Amino acid sequence: MRKNIVAGNWKMNKTLQEGIALAKELNEALAEKPNCDVVICTPFIHLASVTPLVDAAKIGVGAENCADKASGAYTGEVSAEMVASTGAKYVILGHSERRAYYGETVAILEEKVKLALANGLTPIFCIGEVLEEREANKQNEVVAAQMESVFSLSPEDFSKIVLAYEPVWAIGTGKTATPEQAQEIHAFIRSIVADKYGKEIADNTSILYGGSCKPSNAKELFSNPDVDGGLIGGAALKVSDFKGIIDAFNA
Ligand code: PEP
């Protein structure tokens, strides 16, 4: 079923102690069950500590990445199975920072998505164009090419993933896509999912928006018919801001 989701991406921020404090504070702030699913994606080393601290009925925990190999001699890597063994339920895959700084290709991401699913994790699969591509009006072809990582999945597996459209020019820049820009490309993404898997699966796919989302713009972005919530970077590091975004689904 299509769900509204607000997911935080802590990136490489917070020591273990700071992360534990942030998770506890968020857990307390969500005394009432939110009107959307809430996820926090933390650095690997936080997962085993944070997962038991939060009320699983209100907050899901996820990693920000996982390896493209199942196990073995891959020094420094963390497998999907290891992530799942902490109690985490989600994993962000294909974030633009991973694509840009760590050379993650369509083929590598295809492996990661498959391993995440095989280990019972929900991938939050990110796609999005850089500024030059937007200026050249190439955003649709860019996201369509990125979707090839997940278009080899069976319909049953595809139904388990969450998509996040994140225009790279809006990530951490304070520049947000307009609600019209977000709706237009989310509708396009849903249309290519429908072409591949049919209307029912497309209608049930959650597509999040990410890129400088904050309490002041969340409601307008999320009220679009094809925007099912947000992937939140900077604003996920402050409980009042993150809660303000979650509350966009309450009003
Ligand atoms: C992100 O990195 O996924 C993101 C959306 O960051 P920010 O909200 O800080 O733009």
Side-chain angles (χ1 to χ4, degrees):
M1 266 305 285
R2 182 160 159 190
K3 289 175 177 167
N4 291 325
I5 303 169
V6 173
N9 173 12
W10 290 6
K11 310 196 185 188
M12 196 174 73
N13 292 296
K14 304 288 176 193
T15 62
L16 178 59
Q17 292 73 21
E18 290 165 348
I20 287 172
L22 179 61
K24 277 188 182 160
E25 192 188 337
L26 179 67
N27 197 51
E28 280 158 26
L30 299 183
E32 310 262 301
K33 190 162 171 25
N35 264 341
C36 61
D37 285 7
V38 174
V39 179
I40 49 175
C41 296
T42 80
F44 290 128
I45 63 149
H46 297 50
L47 293 173
S49 303
V50 161
T51 304
L53 284 181
V54 298
D55 177 353
K58 288 185 206 153
I59 304 175
V61 177
E64 301 171 14
N65 180 29
C66 71
D68 62 338
K69 304 285 191 299
S71 68
Y74 300 102
T75 303
E77 288 293 300
V78 176
S79 70
E81 186 182 21
M82 291 172 184
V83 169
S85 74
T86 68
K89 302 284 182 219
Y90 295 83
V91 59
I92 296 173
L93 291 174
H95 192 280
S96 62
E97 289 150 16
R98 300 289 323 168
R99 292 177 191 266
Y101 308 145
Y102 301 98
E104 296 198 351
T105 61
V106 167
I108 289 171
L109 290 169
E110 184 176 351
E111 292 308 310
K112 292 190 178 201
V113 169
K114 286 184 175 154
L115 284 163
L117 287 166
N119 286 284
L121 297 171
T122 299
I124 301 175
F125 183 70
C126 305
I127 53 178
E129 79 288 353
V130 299
L131 185 60
E132 302 81 75
E133 292 162 341
R134 168 66 63 166
E135 284 173 348
N137 202 27
K138 290 199 164 138
Q139 61 275 11
N140 287 7
E141 66 184 84
V142 170
V143 298
Q146 292 169 334
M147 287 291 286
E148 289 303 318
S149 298
V150 289
F151 276 172
S152 60
L153 296 175
S154 66
E156 193 192 342
D157 273 348
F158 186 88
S159 304
K160 295 175 188 158
I161 74 170
V162 171
L163 299 175
Y165 167 68
E166 299 204 298
V168 181
W169 46 271
I171 295 179
T173 58
K175 215 172 164 188
T176 316
T178 65
E180 294 74 25
Q181 284 173 321
Q183 169 54 28
E184 189 181 7
I185 193 153
H186 280 229
F188 169 73
I189 295 163
R190 204 177 298 286
S191 77
I192 59 173
V193 172
D195 291 344
K196 179 82 192 170
Y197 292 106
K199 188 172 179 325
E200 193 181 338
I201 287 182
D203 283 346
N204 282 324
T205 302
S206 295
I207 309 177
L208 315 184
Y209 167 79
S212 298
C213 192
K214 28 188 189 268
S216 58
N217 59 25
K219 199 169 170 203
E220 216 186 339
L221 285 160
F222 300 170
S223 59
N224 285 291
D226 289 298
V227 180
D228 306 309
L231 181 56
I232 317 299
L237 297 174
K238 215 172 141 196
V239 168
S240 56
D241 288 345
F242 195 52
K243 169 101 169 30
I245 294 170
I246 293 164
D247 285 345
F249 282 115
N250 288 332

